[in-house]
Amino acid sequence: MRLKTSTWILGLLLVLFATSSQLTQAQSLEDFEEKVTEFTLDNGLTFIIIERPVAPVVSFATYVNVGGANEPVGHTGMAHIFEHMAFKGTHTVGTTNWQKEQEVLEELDNTYQEWLAEKYSTQPDSAKIDTLWSQFEDLQEKAGEYVVNNEFSQIIDRNGGTGMNATTSQDRTNYFYSLPENRLELWFSLESDRFKNPVFREFYKEKEVVREERRMRSESQPIGRLVEEFTAVAFTAHPYGRPTVGWHSDITATTMEDAREFYNTYYVPNNITFAIAGDVNPEEAKEFAKKYFGDIEPGPKPPPVYTKEPEQRGERRFTIEGQSQPYFLMGYHTVSQDHPDSKALQLLGSILSGGRTSILYKRMVDEEQTALQVTAFNGYPGQKYETLFATLAIPNQGVSVDTIEASILEEIEKVKEGEISQEALDRARTNARANLIRSLDSNSGLASSLASAESLRGDWRKVFTDLEELQQVTVYDIQRVAQEYLTKDNRTIGVIVNKNSNNEGDTNANN
C-alpha cells in the first residue's frame, strides 16, 4: 500500500484556512455537545465519540501529537518513517513466526549500525564496509521470509474498510479509515495491537520508499525544490525549517533502534487522541476502549519544542535557476494558530486570494492576466508554533517574477493603508465559514477535525470557538496585522526562474 505523505506542497497550491471547525449550519456548541462523549482512560489516552447515525458506517481518526518539528537533530524524516511502520503489522499480524523474525531483525539492526559506524568513521575500511553490507543484505532477505505482506490492510479490506491512510506534517501524525458499524470492536482490537505491539518489519526497505518519495516530491519537482529551500532560508533556528520527508543523510543514519526510541518517547498514551464518528454507541465504545487500551502503561510527557525563531533582521532572498515554469514564493513570520491575531491573518489571506472576487485573483489572474494562480494564507509550514504568512504565485507565460512581486506588494500596501472594505471582510468570513462547515459534512471529516483540535490545541470545542472568533475580526484588525507582520525586514522571498531567461528574480521593492 502506498501511503500519502506530508501535504506541505499541496498546502501551498490550495487556499488553506487555518481553523478546524464546523458542523451543520444551525447547530450551536451546546447542541453539538449532546452528541459528543469524551473520556480519558487512566493511562492518559483520550477518546472523542461523535454520534452521527445517518448511515451504518463509523470513521476513525488517530492523532498523535508529534510531527517533523519534534524530530531529534540528525534524524529528520523520523515521524514520516514511523508512519509507514504503523502499517507493517504487529507480533501476530504480518508474520508467520514473530519470535524467529524478531531475532533476525535484531541481528539485522546491529549489523546496520556496525556498517553505519564504519562508513562514517574517520578512516573507513572499505573491505569491512562491503562485508557488513553483504551480511546486512543476507539478513534482510532472511527477515523477509517471515513477512506476510499487507496483512493489516487486507484485514481492513475484507471487513469492508475504506479510506485507510495516514499523513505526517510538521505538527502531527494521523491515521484514519472507516468500517461498517458492526466492526467497531475490530477497530479497537487492531488499533490497540499496532500501538501496543509495534514492530519495525521491513524498516530498511521502507526507508528506501521514503527516500524515493523525497526524490519524487522534493528533488524532481521544481516546486518541491523551491519549498524546501524556502523553509530552510526562512527558519534559521526553529525545526519548521527542516523537511518533514527528511534529508538523505538523516534517512541513511536512522536505525531501528532510533525509531524505537522515537516511538517510546512520543507514542505514549497522553500524546494520542482517538476520535470515532458515525453510527456508534458511546457506552459500548467506552467498554471496548477499557478492554483493548486500558492495559497500556502510561508514559512520561513528551519533551516540548523550546526553540523559538529569532526576530528576522532583514529581508532574505534566493533564486533557483532551471528549466522550469517560474514560481514566486514569499513569506512573513507571524503567529501560531491560538494567537489572538491568527484569525485576522487567516481572513487577510482569504481577502487577498480566496476566490474570483479576491484582491489578487481579480487583478492578477482575471484583469491583468499576469498570473496563472495566486494563493495567500497563514499557517505554513505548520500552525502549532509561530509560522509564516505565505504567498505563492505562478506567472503567466512571458511574465517575470519581478512583475508578480510588484503587484502583490502593491496590493499588500493598499491593505496597510486601509483600502479594504467591510464587504470584502464579510465575504471572506462567509467563505471561511462555508468551507469549514462543508469539511465536516462526513464522519471522516468530523473525526479528523475534532481529533485534531483536541490533540494539537487541547480542546475539540475550539472547532466552534474558532467560528466565533472569526466573527469578531474587524476591518481595522486586518489593516493592523498587515502593518505589523507584512514588513520588508520580516519577509523571505524565493523564486524559480528559467535559466534561459534574463529575469534574475531581483527587485528593488522596499514595501
Side-chain angles (χ1 to χ4, degrees):
M1 186 182 91
R2 286 289 180 266
L3 301 178
K4 294 178 182 177
T5 56
S6 310
T7 56
W8 43 273
I9 292 179
L10 178 61
L12 283 171
L13 297 174
L14 300 174
V15 180
L16 299 184
F17 297 100
T19 35
S20 56
S21 322
Q22 57 291 351
L23 240 254
T24 64
Q25 300 192 20
Q27 285 181 322
S28 65
L29 174 58
E30 291 75 18
D31 293 333
F32 189 64
E33 280 185 311
E34 297 178 2
K35 301 178 181 180
V36 175
T37 301
E38 56 181 319
F39 57 88
T40 301
L41 300 183
D42 292 341
N43 56 21
L45 279 171
T46 297
F47 288 82
I48 303 171
I49 314 298
I50 309 114
E51 296 178 75
R52 190 173 182 266
V54 296
V57 178
V58 183
S59 293
F60 307 91
T62 299
Y63 269 70
V64 187
N65 193 3
V66 61
N70 304 98
E71 294 164 344
V73 175
H75 292 294
T76 56
M78 178 79 80
H80 183 201
I81 291 171
F82 191 82
E83 172 212 310
H84 283 230
M85 288 294 96
F87 290 84
K88 289 297 180 179
T90 66
H91 298 173
T92 57
V93 176
T95 184
T96 59
N97 189 323
W98 167 242
Q99 186 174 358
K100 291 183 178 180
E101 182 187 9
Q102 184 180 29
E103 293 173 359
V104 179
L105 289 177
E106 289 177 358
E107 187 178 358
L108 174 71
D109 196 43
N110 290 335
T111 302
Y112 187 85
Q113 290 184 45
E114 288 184 50
W115 172 84
L116 194 65
E118 187 63 35
K119 181 177 176 63
Y120 289 95
S121 67
T122 54
Q123 294 181 316
D125 183 333
S126 58
K128 185 176 181 180
I129 289 173
D130 291 343
T131 298
L132 287 168
W133 188 255
S134 179
Q135 293 173 0
F136 169 78
E137 290 183 317
D138 289 343
L139 288 165
Q140 188 156 246
E141 184 176 347
K142 185 176 180 181
E145 295 174 1
Y146 300 104
V147 175
V148 181
N149 288 316
N150 301 319
E151 187 173 16
F152 184 89
S153 60
Q154 288 171 2
I155 293 172
I156 303 299
D157 291 342
R158 286 197 303 268
N159 284 275
T162 58
M164 185 175 70
N165 220 311
T167 65
T168 304
S169 75
Q170 288 283 4
D171 293 339
R172 51 88 188 125
T173 308
N174 66 310
Y175 306 86
F176 49 91
Y177 58 92
S178 300
L179 283 168
E181 56 85 19
N182 60 358
R183 295 293 186 271
L184 181 67
E185 186 171 9
L186 175 67
W187 178 84
F188 277 95
S189 175
L190 290 173
E191 199 74 354
S192 62
D193 190 25
R194 71 167 165 172
F195 289 118
K196 283 194 291 187
N197 301 305
V199 294
F200 298 88
R201 185 169 292 131
E202 298 185 313
F203 179 81
Y204 291 104
K205 288 185 177 180
E206 208 62 31
K207 282 209 308 176
E208 294 311 307
V209 173
V210 171
R211 196 190 304 277
E212 183 59 27
E213 288 181 9
R214 172 179 171 76
R215 292 190 185 100
M216 293 175 60
R217 299 169 184 267
S218 301
E219 297 171 5
S220 300
Q221 299 295 327
I223 184 64
R225 295 195 297 271
L226 175 63
V227 167
E228 188 166 87
E229 187 74 17
F230 177 79
T231 51
V233 172
F235 291 95
T236 58
H238 195 273
Y240 271 173
R242 307 183 313 214
T244 305
V245 74
W247 298 113
H248 268 302
S249 56
D250 287 356
I251 295 171
T252 298
T254 298
T255 67
M256 289 167 59
E257 184 176 333
D258 296 324
R260 188 174 292 108
E261 182 177 352
F262 181 82
Y263 168 83
N264 290 335
T265 301
Y266 293 101
Y267 278 71
V268 291
N270 60 5
N271 209 41
I272 301 175
T273 299
F274 300 105
I276 303 171
D279 190 2
V280 55
N281 182 311
E283 291 305 314
E284 182 181 32
K286 192 170 185 178
E287 290 304 311
F288 286 149
K290 293 176 181 177
K291 175 180 178 181
Y292 288 99
F293 286 97
D295 60 347
I296 298 179
E297 292 294 324
K301 185 178 180 179
V305 174
Y306 289 114
T307 304
K308 279 189 169 292
E309 184 67 20
E311 182 178 355
Q312 192 165 315
R313 292 185 286 267
E315 183 185 64
R316 300 169 186 167
R317 286 179 174 267
F318 68 92
T319 299
I320 298 175
E321 293 186 350
Q323 299 292 341
S324 166
Q325 159 74 52
Y327 289 90
F328 173 86
L329 180 55
M330 177 171 68
Y332 298 87
H333 289 280
T334 60
V335 298
S336 66
Q337 63 186 344
D338 283 329
H339 188 279
D341 288 342
S342 176
K343 299 301 180 293
L345 287 162
Q346 175 193 342
L347 290 174
L348 172 58
S350 181
I351 290 168
L352 287 173
S353 70
R356 294 180 176 275
T357 58
S358 63
I359 293 172
L360 294 179
Y361 186 96
K362 187 176 181 180
R363 172 179 173 176
M364 300 172 66
V365 180
D366 190 15
E367 296 176 355
E368 297 178 356
Q369 298 184 3
T370 55
L372 297 172
Q373 182 177 347
V374 59
T375 298
F377 63 96
N378 193 58
Y380 175 78
Q383 301 179 56
K384 190 192 302 185
Y385 308 105
E386 292 181 352
T387 185
L388 296 175
F389 184 96
T391 303
L392 172 72
I394 305 174
N396 215 331
Q397 186 173 3
V399 178
S400 71
V401 291
D402 290 351
T403 300
I404 294 295
E405 178 180 346
S407 297
I408 293 172
L409 292 180
E410 282 176 17
E411 296 304 328
I412 288 175
E413 193 62 26
K414 290 178 184 178
V415 173
K416 292 180 181 181
E417 292 171 355
E419 294 186 31
I420 180 172
S421 67
Q422 183 66 45
E423 180 185 3
L425 173 58
D426 290 342
R427 184 166 52 243
R429 192 155 41 207
T430 299
N431 289 340
R433 174 181 288 269
N435 284 335
L436 294 172
I437 288 172
R438 280 195 295 269
S439 74
L440 289 190
D441 193 28
S442 67
N443 290 338
S444 58
L446 276 172
S448 292
S449 291
L450 269 65
S452 175
E454 182 72 29
S455 177
L456 303 185
R457 305 173 65 194
D459 190 353
W460 63 265
R461 293 168 185 80
K462 291 189 176 181
V463 165
F464 287 90
T465 57
D466 279 345
L467 290 176
E468 295 170 2
E469 290 173 14
L470 285 175
Q471 289 298 120
Q472 297 169 7
V473 175
T474 66
V475 170
Y476 170 75
D477 290 327
I478 302 296
Q479 181 184 8
R480 177 182 57 78
V481 296
Q483 291 174 342
E484 181 173 351
Y485 300 105
L486 275 55
T487 64
K488 181 181 179 181
D489 287 347
N490 190 38
R491 75 180 174 224
T492 299
I493 295 176
V495 299
I496 296 179
V497 298
N498 195 305
K499 66 169 54 177
N500 295 328
S501 169
N502 291 325
N503 186 335
E504 297 298 325
D506 191 17
T507 109
N508 295 316
N510 292 310
N511 293 322

